[in-house]
Amino acid sequence: MSILIATVSILVITGIVWVLNKILLAKICPICAGVSVSWLGLIIFRLVGYEVDPIVIATLMGGSIVGIAYRAERFLRPKRSSLSWKTAFMIFGFGTAYFVASEKWVAAVVAITILLFVAFFFLGFKRELKISNAKVAEIEKKLEDCCE
């Protein structure tokens, strides 16, 4: 029954986020939102006493771990190996998913902390200034004309 609830939840949330992406400026991956909100919801249901299969939670969390590893790859620091990043993140990510799904909270916190260190080591987030070629040309022209 948990897998049916999870599947329906993913479909509904994915649809909602897809529609919201048409309206809002910020774009969110609809399937990523569907999967992550579904496993978060299943964890909450489990914590308040509903019977939820932890295998379903762990499976969905595993999908999120893989998605995050591949999505974050574009933020790799210079001279960091893509394979090393994905391997380290997935190993600790899957461990984290296991600990959360099995409600081993101390181990989950330790695993999350290690995940954050792995991310800090491999990833760098810098804001890139995007200026069109026309804008650059305009600024260069103004700089050339300013002192004549």
Side-chain angles (χ1 to χ4, degrees), residues 10 14 21 31 43-44 51 53 60 62 87 109 135 140 145:
I10 291 168
T14 297
N21 277 343
I31 195 69
I43 289 171
I44 292 168
E51 189 175 323
D53 186 353
L60 297 179
T87 301
V109 169
K135 189 70 174 170
E140 287 175 346
D145 295 341

Side-chain angles (χ1 to χ4, degrees), residues 9-146:
S9 172
I10 291 168
L11 290 172
V12 169
I13 295 165
T14 297
I16 291 169
V17 172
W18 181 79
V19 169
L20 288 175
N21 277 343
K22 302 284 185 198
I23 301 167
L24 302 175
L25 295 176
K27 302 296 180 211
I28 299 169
C29 170
I31 195 69
C32 297
V35 171
S36 59
V37 171
S38 294
W39 64 254
L40 283 167
L42 290 173
I43 289 171
I44 292 168
F45 283 137
R46 188 171 162 88
L47 291 175
V48 297
Y50 288 95
E51 189 175 323
V52 177
D53 186 353
I55 293 172
V56 174
I57 295 171
T59 302
L60 297 179
M61 290 178 79
S64 291
I65 295 299
V66 172
I68 292 167
Y70 277 90
R71 184 76 171 154
E73 185 177 14
R74 64 186 174 158
F75 297 107
L76 278 177
R77 291 179 188 265
K79 299 185 182 182
R80 297 290 199 268
S81 163
S82 175
L83 180 61
S84 296
W85 152 249
K86 289 184 278 193
T87 301
F89 189 80
M90 286 189 202
I91 287 171
F92 292 108
F94 291 153
T96 302
Y98 170 79
F99 294 134
V100 170
S102 60
E103 299 180 23
K104 296 179 179 175
W105 301 116
V106 172
V109 169
V110 170
I112 290 168
T113 303
I114 293 170
L115 262 181
L116 291 173
F117 280 113
V118 167
F120 179 76
F121 177 77
F122 281 97
L123 304 177
F125 300 96
K126 60 183 177 186
R127 184 175 283 190
E128 291 184 24
L129 183 60
K130 294 182 181 180
I131 301 176
S132 68
N133 287 338
K135 189 70 174 170
V136 171
E138 179 186 337
I139 293 170
E140 287 175 346
K141 177 83 169 110
K142 286 180 181 179
L143 286 172
E144 289 172 5
D145 295 341
C146 83

